Amino acid sequence: MGARGAPSRRRLAGRRLRYLPTGSFPFLLLLLLLCIQLGGGQKKKENLLAEKVEQLMEWSSRRSIFRMNGDKFRKFIKAPPRNYSMIVMFTALQPQRQCSVCRQANEEYQILANSWRYSSAFCNKLFFSMVDYDEGTDVFQQLNMNSAPTFMHFPPKGRPKRADTFDLQRIGFAAEQLAKWIADRTDVHIRVFRPPNYSGTIALALLVSLVGGLLYLRRNNLEFIYNKTGWAMVSLCIVFAMTSGQMWNHIRGPPYAHKNPHNGQVSYIHGSSQAQFVAESHIILVLNAAITMGMVLLNEAATSKGDVGKRRIICLVGLGLVVFFFSFLLSIFRSKYHGYPYSFLIK
């Protein structure tokens, strides 16, 4: 039985081999080589990603914001693989560019990056970098970018969307606003830690000392405290500061003005009703003060009992101040609220 069974098994194996297609061996070999190549390519991507992350972590250990030129930008931000988010500030900090807004935004950006770098939640999922126009002109051209400063988020996968560009003109560039935007785009929450600023405390101490010294010197005659004109001036200064948007500036931290990088034209009035420049609030303050002065002169001309000619001159000056500066104020309002139909003297 054993002798007769062995040839039968050999004949069966021969039949099985004859049933295999003759072209299947090259196909199996090709499939094996393809699997090996895919596995090697995946391993290569993992090694490249590990090298990029290691390099970024090394840079972050030395500086919370690292500068990039065109080559570094294309390697670490544009080219895959990438499993980290990158916040990039496009700016122009060289003195010849005369971009004061860029310097102010850079200070806030530095505060934000330091808050992330030295927090307990710091990890390799988020990095902060900077591209200066004079060091990466090709990057600005590649992104069709014509203004600075600009903040962009480059996600781990895919291209940046519209929301990945920070709306600086509407929100301002305060570190807290940037942190909120980053949390919306990356789910990384950064608690902003600002360095201590004692200028406000020192100013308050000097003011208290000045007032205390004045009261001490005039301790035998404190009738000036009951001076209505003095308190009226103080009240008006507070009203002018609040109605001109100084509190909004303090909260949002907008730039002082905007300089067009193409023609060098400086804009002191923001074109949107949702934002303003610091210079704009100063202009509004002066206009409100001029209108108020005109109203005071009109009231003085109507209530005083002096010479009629003098009262007439005061009345005309007051009326001129109210008419001209109110027209100027209304024209600024029309330029910000597009479509507003009314104007007066100045369009």
Side-chain angles (χ1 to χ4, degrees):
M1 290 295 293
R4 279 181 286 186
S8 299
R9 286 193 294 269
R10 285 195 295 270
R11 285 194 296 271
L12 182 60
R15 292 193 191 100
R16 289 176 179 173
L17 290 174
R18 283 196 296 271
Y19 284 122
L20 287 172
T22 56
S24 63
F25 290 104
F27 175 75
L28 292 174
L29 182 59
L30 181 61
L31 183 61
L32 179 62
L33 291 175
L34 183 61
C35 292
I36 295 175
Q37 185 177 5
L38 289 176
Q42 184 66 25
K43 187 66 175 178
K44 185 177 180 181
K45 286 184 178 180
E46 291 177 358
N47 293 337
L48 178 59
L49 179 59
E51 291 177 2
K52 293 170 69 173
V53 173
E54 182 181 1
Q55 181 65 69
L56 292 174
M57 290 295 290
E58 181 184 349
W59 287 342
S60 296
S61 64
R62 289 182 288 180
R63 287 189 176 182
S64 55
I65 302 174
F66 38 85
R67 305 174 76 96
M68 287 193 169
N69 54 22
D71 295 335
K72 291 180 180 179
F73 179 83
R74 285 182 285 271
K75 178 180 179 181
F76 291 95
I77 298 180
K78 298 293 289 183
R82 194 173 70 249
N83 65 348
Y84 50 84
S85 293
M86 182 73 72
I87 307 298
V88 184
M89 175 184 177
F90 299 91
T91 185
L93 294 175
Q94 296 300 322
Q96 65 268 21
R97 300 298 174 186
Q98 298 181 356
C99 183
S100 59
V101 180
C102 296
R103 291 190 291 271
Q104 297 171 12
N106 181 57
E107 293 176 359
E108 293 293 315
Y109 191 52
Q110 191 73 49
I111 292 173
L112 176 64
N114 287 337
S115 300
W116 168 244
R117 172 64 186 83
Y118 297 106
S119 69
S120 58
F122 175 74
C123 62
N124 59 4
K125 298 301 181 183
L126 178 65
F127 297 99
F128 291 85
S129 62
M130 176 190 301
V131 177
D132 193 282
Y133 179 79
D134 294 283
E135 299 173 0
T137 308
D138 53 338
V139 178
F140 278 75
Q141 295 174 352
Q142 180 182 353
L143 298 176
N144 295 322
M145 193 170 295
N146 54 16
S147 63
T150 300
F151 297 93
M152 286 189 65
H153 164 243
F154 291 86
K157 295 181 181 179
R159 296 182 178 180
K161 300 178 181 179
R162 183 176 182 180
D164 287 312
T165 299
F166 182 69
D167 192 353
L168 182 145
Q169 298 296 335
R170 184 176 65 89
I171 304 177
F173 48 72
E176 291 78 7
Q177 297 298 328
L178 287 168
K180 183 179 179 181
W181 168 67
I182 291 174
D184 293 338
R185 305 310 304 166
T186 66
D187 291 331
V188 175
H189 297 270
I190 303 175
R191 183 180 178 184
V192 177
F193 293 95
R194 291 185 174 273
N197 185 2
Y198 301 105
S199 59
T201 305
I202 295 174
L204 180 60
L206 290 175
L207 179 61
V208 171
S209 301
L210 180 63
V211 173
L214 181 62
L215 291 176
Y216 178 77
L217 293 175
R218 299 289 300 273
R219 60 186 182 276
N220 296 326
N221 184 11
L222 298 178
E223 293 181 0
F224 70 95
I225 295 179
Y226 304 99
N227 190 315
K228 296 180 180 180
T229 304
W231 286 113
M233 295 297 294
V234 172
S235 300
L236 283 176
C237 290
I238 297 175
V239 170
F240 292 152
M242 295 298 104
T243 56
S244 63
Q246 295 297 332
M247 186 57 67
W248 192 94
N249 295 339
H250 179 73
I251 296 173
R252 297 295 183 90
Y256 187 81
H258 176 70
K259 184 177 182 180
N260 192 313
H262 294 292
N263 52 25
Q265 183 178 1
V266 180
S267 299
Y268 297 101
I269 306 295
H270 199 284
S272 171
S273 61
Q274 302 296 322
Q276 70 175 17
F277 298 131
V278 175
E280 181 179 339
S281 63
H282 295 166
I283 294 173
I284 299 300
L285 187 149
V286 172
L287 294 179
N288 287 336
I291 294 171
T292 303
M293 178 61 68
M295 296 298 296
V296 170
L297 291 178
L298 286 174
N299 180 72
E300 182 69 19
T303 58
S304 64
K305 298 180 180 180
D307 182 60
V308 176
K310 183 178 179 181
R311 291 169 58 189
R312 185 179 292 112
I313 294 175
I314 294 175
C315 179
L316 292 175
V317 172
L319 183 62
L321 288 174
V322 172
V323 170
F324 177 77
F325 287 106
F326 179 77
S327 177
F328 193 9
L329 185 65
L330 189 61
S331 68
I332 295 176
F333 184 85
R334 291 184 74 248
S335 68
K336 295 180 69 66
Y337 289 84
H338 305 284
Y340 185 76
Y342 305 108
S343 63
F344 185 61
L345 293 184
I346 302 175
K347 293 185 178 181

